Amino acid sequence: MPPTDQTPRSGSAIDLQESYLNRARSSLRQALTRYNAFFRADKNRSPSGTDREMLRSDLEQLTVTLNKLESQVVRVAVFGLVSRGKSAVLNALLGQKLLPTGPLNGVTQAPQSIYWSPGGTVESAATTVGTMALASDTKSLTVELIDTPGLDEIDGQARAKMAQDIARQADLILFVVAGDITRTEYQALCDLRQAQKPLLLVFNKVDLYPDQTRQAIYQNLQQLAAKHVGGMKLQSLLSANEIVLVAADPAPLQIRVESPDGRITYEWEAPPVEIDRLKHKILAILRQEGRTLLALNALFQARDAEAALASKILDVRNADAEALIWKFARYKAIAVGINPIAVVDLLGGAVSDLAMIRALSELYGLPVTRHEARKLWQTIFLSSGSLLVSELGSGLLLGLGKSAAAAAAGIETSTSFSAYAGTAIVQGGIAGYGAYAVGRAVQVYLEQGCSWGPQGSNTVIQDIINQLEPNTIIYRLRQELSQQLGLPGL
């Protein structure tokens, strides 16, 4: 049994997942409130019709993602090449034939969704007690099973784009194979793996391949990986425990029937469907980490939507922001230049920079969070580096010289005043240019840091990743998920 199947039932595990869901909901609500407020801000600065349409799709994506969280719908997308029995697998899971199947290739022409409530299904007599118990633990979850066309059919580029879009929206991926895994299938697996979602390999038609075992299939994968560039990345995600053998639509068998009168006839009989292993595996994942998968997927989608919104808002407000930065650059140059007291002029310049940061944040409607304050200043120093160091160093020296010149000007001749004025002009110019560099750095930060903060999507994602249990299917992805946040590897 895989580790996930051995995990004892624990209310605390479900409670922890519920806390993840609640935090994800709060994060998305906060983001929606922020960006909706952007539209309700000063009407004179509201985006034009064209700009509003540019922002609307990303805002709608946030709303759709939040609604998915509220309804606790887990998306399970099924992929594979033609004639592998994808639709048959889903029909077997559902316990009834709702999706069309047939001997011809390409019966499924477009993605189709069917909703499955595992906790509400009527279990067959063959269903194990453990599976029924797992189903009772997932009553609050609804599963959207997404059937997709074969990945090797005509119009390859369009299908590849379709697969990427569905995989990005999915919480769990099933990849259906039958027989020896081909290089085309392995390449498709590697492509889907780039979506960084948990993945189960479903070996269908095991009735036709009775000698197949999970370990043999996994060894076949390892051999393909050795010949495939980047193949080991797939191995880091998929283990033998994520391989499930099923017979979704077993081929009829001819049986010999002997009548009481001695007559011999032959009839065709369909063997029982073998799907309980897959059902049990899916239910075990849903119980142990289904809500965690929901929360993480929603947060990453929200993060992408927020990044797109922030970038577009910066474009919409670019002219206003440029004028604001130049205004503060002038103010800082004048304030630093005319102040005759050393150190105080530098403190005044720092206050001006902080005021500009706040003004830019209000203009864009994007937060400057304390959580990322250190990164903000790192960004400022990286973007303007030597200039700001020069401003601080030369500013202190010039400030002291300016103070001395000011004191001398009060006693002596116009020569001292000229020295004071010259020093003030140089220092003011450095301060003003430094303010402009700071403003530009703040724009970069506001675009990249909008999803941080106590309830920001990046913060919540990081907290969830740090608490992942080693026996969960998502645990193997923690390294790559952390790298998406710009965090060091775990």
Side-chain angles (χ1 to χ4, degrees), residues 293-307:
L293 294 174
L294 262 178
L296 280 174
N297 197 18
L299 288 165
F300 271 109
Q301 290 182 41
R303 174 179 179 265
D304 293 342
E306 283 192 83

Side-chain angles (χ1 to χ4, degrees), residues 377-458:
W377 287 109
Q378 287 175 351
T379 302
I380 290 172
F381 277 104
L382 285 173
S383 65
S384 55
S386 60
L387 176 62
L388 291 181
V389 171
S390 172
E391 180 186 344
L392 291 174
S394 62
L396 182 59
L397 292 175
L398 291 170
L400 291 172
K402 186 173 60 176
S403 298
I411 303 171
E412 305 251 343
T413 64
S414 59
T415 304
S416 297
F417 180 79
S418 298
Y420 169 81
T423 303
I425 291 171
V426 173
Q427 190 181 24
I430 294 175
Y433 200 85
Y436 183 79
V438 168
R440 287 300 188 190
V442 170
Q443 287 179 298
V444 173
Y445 165 77
L446 288 172
E447 181 176 359
Q448 297 179 351
C450 61
S451 52
W452 289 96
Q455 285 300 323
S457 54
N458 280 345

Side-chain angles (χ1 to χ4, degrees), residues 64-252:
V64 169
T65 303
L66 177 59
N67 291 339
K68 178 173 174 282
L69 267 186
E70 298 285 11
S71 55
Q72 296 194 35
V73 177
V74 180
R75 286 190 175 126
V76 179
V78 184
F79 295 97
L81 305 191
V82 295
S83 299
R84 295 326 190 249
K86 300 183 295 298
S87 300
V89 167
L90 294 183
N91 285 337
L93 278 174
L94 294 162
Q96 51 187 319
K97 189 172 181 179
L98 298 178
L99 295 167
T101 60
L104 299 178
N105 290 347
V107 173
T108 302
Q109 293 296 314
Q112 302 179 64
S113 291
I114 292 183
Y115 290 89
W116 176 40
S117 297
T121 54
V122 178
E123 305 297 337
S124 66
T127 301
T128 64
V129 174
T131 299
M132 294 176 69
L134 289 171
S136 68
D137 281 343
T138 60
K139 285 183 179 179
S140 64
L141 299 176
T142 297
V143 180
E144 180 185 357
L145 299 170
I146 306 174
D147 192 17
T148 62
L151 294 173
D152 55 340
E153 292 186 67
I154 301 171
D155 201 7
Q157 287 188 338
R159 291 200 186 279
K161 175 68 165 56
M162 173 272 297
Q164 291 172 2
D165 292 341
I166 293 176
R168 188 170 59 252
Q169 297 289 328
D171 302 294
L172 176 67
I173 292 174
L174 307 184
F175 193 87
V176 180
V177 299
D180 291 338
I181 299 172
T182 66
R183 290 188 179 184
T184 301
E185 282 177 311
Y186 191 83
Q187 178 61 59
L189 264 172
C190 291
D191 292 342
L192 287 172
R193 189 254 182 277
Q194 294 177 11
Q196 297 176 345
K197 300 295 175 66
L199 190 149
L200 295 179
L201 182 67
V202 180
F203 188 99
N204 190 24
K205 306 183 183 181
V206 69
D207 55 309
L208 302 180
Y209 305 93
D211 296 332
Q212 285 287 1
T213 64
R214 290 193 305 176
Q215 194 58 43
I217 296 167
Y218 188 65
Q219 288 175 354
N220 183 23
L221 285 173
Q222 289 179 313
Q223 292 171 1
L224 287 167
K227 303 173 184 177
H228 193 278
V229 177
M232 296 313 295
K233 288 187 177 181
L234 177 64
Q235 306 309 101
S236 66
L237 173 63
L238 190 68
S239 73
N241 287 330
E242 279 72 64
I243 299 174
V244 186
L245 279 61
V246 304
D249 188 14

